[in-house]
Amino acid sequence: MEHNNVHTSELYTLQLPSKLESINQLELLIEEIADKHHVGDDVFANMMTCLNEAVMNAIVHGNQQDESKIVIVNAEVELKRIIWTITDEGEGFDYNSLPDPTAPENLEKLTGRGVFILKQLADQCIFNTRGNEIELHFKI
């Protein structure tokens, strides 16, 4: 029996302590995956931006920089896309009731753009019901 059309996915996992320096490990994984799977420059830049934002939010807002809590990063690389999942141990948040960062009263604010950026740069952005896990899809 031949299986020429069967494509399996590759899985990668990181368990990061909730400290800002953990971003270095994340960036190394993104670079490794991008190199191995010939990810284009634009998609690489979008992944780097989104994943930095999502993991920083998980560390700072989700886990409150409590180093006893971890952030789990999973990457599933398929033939034409990469699905990243970032999960923290925090209480979660209501991602549907965030202020619109493009509203005039919010344009000058220095925070509050993260989720907006994720939705703009990823091909798909899915939160779990609790709001402590996000799935980001990128076509490659």
Side-chain angles (χ1 to χ4, degrees), residues 94-106:
D94 183 358
Y95 48 87
N96 288 315
S97 64
L98 294 172
D100 178 359
T102 63
E105 67 273 14
N106 295 327

Side-chain angles (χ1 to χ4, degrees), residues 48-122:
M48 190 65 82
T49 301
C50 286
L51 293 163
N52 263 292
E53 181 66 32
V55 171
M56 286 300 278
N57 282 349
I59 290 170
V60 174
H61 300 296
N63 290 345
Q64 307 291 311
Q65 295 186 52
D66 177 347
E67 292 187 29
S68 70
K69 294 182 178 180
I70 59 169
V71 175
I72 299 170
V73 178
N74 290 312
E76 181 177 0
V77 182
E78 298 176 347
L79 189 61
K80 296 186 187 250
R81 72 177 175 173
I82 302 174
I83 302 168
W84 293 87
T85 307
I86 297 93
T87 310
D88 63 55
E89 295 185 71
E91 298 299 314
F93 73 108
D94 183 358
Y95 48 87
N96 288 315
S97 64
L98 294 172
D100 178 359
T102 63
E105 67 273 14
N106 295 327
L107 289 177
E108 299 292 321
K109 292 184 179 174
L110 299 176
T111 60
R113 292 178 181 80
V115 172
F116 178 80
I117 289 168
L118 297 178
K119 289 180 177 179
Q120 298 302 307
L121 297 181

Side-chain angles (χ1 to χ4, degrees), residues 14 20-21 25 32 75 101 103 119 121 140:
L14 282 178
L20 302 181
E21 300 81 40
Q25 285 177 266
E32 175 188 333
K119 289 180 177 179
L121 297 181
I140 55 172

